[in-house]
Amino acid sequence: MVVEHNLTKEMTFEFKSRPRRLRKNSAVLSLIEETHLHTADFILPVFIHSGTDVEEIESMPGIFRWPLERLKSQIAFWVDSGIRGFALFPKISSDLKDSEGLEILNTTSLMYEAASILSELTRDFILIADLALDPYTSHGQDGIIGKDGDIDNDLTVEMLTKASVLCAKAGYDWVAPSDMMDGRVGAIRQALDQNSFHQVSIMAYSAKFCSSYYGPFREAIGSSKDKMCIDKSSYQLCPGNAREARRELVLDLEEGADILMVKPAEPYLDIIHWAKQNLSLPIAAYQVSGEYSRVCAASKLGWLDKDSCALESLISIKRAGADLILTYFAERVVELLKK
Ligand code: PBG
């Protein structure tokens, strides 16, 4: 870039620090880079359904609902690319949903079938069952609605506890309660242990905020027609509340969680950072559907570059302190990291 100017460099400066020396070229930059993404950082959320087609999710370009018959080969492909963790989410057909989400206790339900199919693969990956009632309830709430119209905490915990044992029996390595009911981590730990599943880990959605960024996910699992507007504020955290988020993280640690999660990720980097600095468990961050979709949408409009925004967002999440990151960008980013 040549710009005409009439400066004559008559001034000499004796700056003590010239930080730009460390940004001189790509060699220096790579030597001093503080945060690195690794293929092994990522967990890919995977949607499954009972149909026979691979269905693209409209609001999540490049993300699909997989039929069980394609699941084994697809997971094998991802494992081959280096991804080591998969969190499964079922789209339950609406005729199987009811107000209590009883389908979660049906041992031939989609989630349990999927685990049994995947047990045929060499287990050099971690299979995670997301544990919540919302894929199974007709109203899309994560819990059973009590007589007073509120979510019945303890009844919901009872269901999740039973489901956690079914997940362990089906072969899931980790269960991930994403419901935000009080006391569920301790109850699930106790049930798993009583059934001799001491080796099954709990990745707790501990600081899960009541976020508008879950919209595309709710389309993906077919949660509700008015998917944008399900009010979960009686159990998910208020976005402004950092101290309350810390309390939830500490409670799940005390109740026996193995991994603590903050969710969504990028809007809550301060919470991730606090958790990493103050708690001694691995910290997971979930870069949720809306965080993915907003980048895809802007890139479709030609306003943002998808790959570089994906990398930048994930670097930010890692820099804040996440040890593992659930992200829909996992497949793409693993490719980019090979380059
Ligand atoms: C519900 C659940 C949600 C997500 C994971 N588990 C949505 C919700 O709480 O409504 C969101 C994930 C995403 O948006 O990618 N148990």
Side-chain angles (χ1 to χ4, degrees), residues 45 47 60 89 130-135 140-142 176-180 205 208-218 220-221 223 227 230 232 235-236 261 263-264 286-292 326 328:
F47 297 107
M60 302 180 74
F89 294 91
D130 191 85
L131 211 53
L133 292 182
D134 58 322
Q141 292 285 357
D142 290 27
S178 67
D179 55 294
M180 289 297 282
Y205 286 67
K208 177 172 179 179
F209 287 86
C210 191
S211 172
S212 301
Y213 288 106
Y214 305 148
F217 171 93
R218 293 180 190 167
I221 64 160
S223 239
K227 55 185 185 283
I230 305 174
K232 300 193 176 185
Y235 43 105
Q236 298 178 350
M261 190 201 291
K263 171 187 179 188
Y286 195 144
Q287 182 181 53
V288 302
S289 55
E291 297 180 79
Y292 173 83
L326 290 92
Y328 301 96

Side-chain angles (χ1 to χ4, degrees), residues 34-170:
E34 297 174 38
T35 308
H36 299 270
L37 292 174
H38 301 293
T39 299
D41 296 333
F42 305 117
I43 291 170
L44 179 66
V46 178
F47 297 107
I48 53 176
H49 73 138
S50 53
T52 47
D53 297 332
V54 178
E55 294 177 351
E56 186 161 24
I57 296 149
E58 207 182 318
S59 55
M60 302 180 74
I63 303 297
F64 303 86
R65 290 185 205 99
W66 296 92
L68 288 189
E69 62 195 54
R70 289 283 302 274
L71 190 62
K72 196 169 101 181
S73 57
Q74 191 56 37
I75 295 273
F77 165 82
W78 283 321
V79 172
D80 201 43
S81 78
I83 302 174
R84 284 288 175 274
F86 303 92
L88 263 47
F89 294 91
K91 182 186 181 205
I92 302 294
S93 57
S94 45
D95 54 310
L96 296 175
K97 297 185 185 188
D98 58 30
S99 61
E100 298 184 322
L102 280 172
E103 171 68 8
I104 201 173
L105 300 182
N106 170 8
T107 51
T108 60
S109 193
L110 205 51
M111 281 294 275
Y112 308 119
E113 293 284 312
S116 124
I117 288 170
L118 294 174
S119 67
E120 294 162 19
L121 288 175
T122 314
R123 217 32 175 280
D124 46 2
F125 61 91
I126 293 292
L127 193 63
I128 304 159
D130 191 85
L131 211 53
L133 292 182
D134 58 322
Y136 305 93
T137 54
S138 40
H139 43 68
Q141 292 285 357
D142 290 27
I144 300 167
I145 302 176
K147 288 194 187 73
D148 55 0
D150 195 8
I151 302 290
D152 188 323
N153 189 90
D154 296 14
L155 208 55
T156 304
V157 171
E158 198 176 317
M159 285 278 268
L160 294 176
T161 303
K162 289 185 177 147
S164 73
V165 175
L166 297 183
C167 288
K169 280 190 182 145

Side-chain angles (χ1 to χ4, degrees), residues 181-292:
M181 295 301 121
D182 293 337
R184 89 284 203 216
V185 170
I188 290 170
R189 183 70 271 159
Q190 194 183 348
L192 289 173
D193 291 349
Q194 278 168 357
N195 287 275
S196 304
F197 291 116
H198 302 92
Q199 293 307 320
V200 171
S201 301
I202 301 176
M203 175 166 70
Y205 286 67
S206 306
K208 177 172 179 179
F209 287 86
C210 191
S211 172
S212 301
Y213 288 106
Y214 305 148
F217 171 93
R218 293 180 190 167
E219 182 207 326
I221 64 160
S223 239
S224 158
K225 288 194 179 59
D226 52 352
K227 55 185 185 283
M228 303 294 177
C229 337
I230 305 174
D231 181 7
K232 300 193 176 185
S233 58
S234 81
Y235 43 105
Q236 298 178 350
L237 286 164
C238 169
N241 289 5
R243 295 173 68 226
E244 196 185 1
R246 291 175 207 152
R247 178 175 184 223
E248 286 282 10
L249 285 154
V250 170
L251 278 173
D252 284 358
L253 181 146
E254 287 169 350
E255 286 179 33
D258 298 282
I259 297 169
L260 302 171
M261 190 201 291
V262 177
K263 171 187 179 188
E266 238 184 315
Y268 299 98
L269 295 182
D270 55 330
I271 312 297
I272 297 173
H273 186 252
W274 181 87
K276 181 56 171 276
Q277 297 293 313
N278 293 281
L279 306 173
S280 52
L281 290 181
I283 306 301
Y286 195 144
Q287 182 181 53
V288 302
S289 55
E291 297 180 79
Y292 173 83

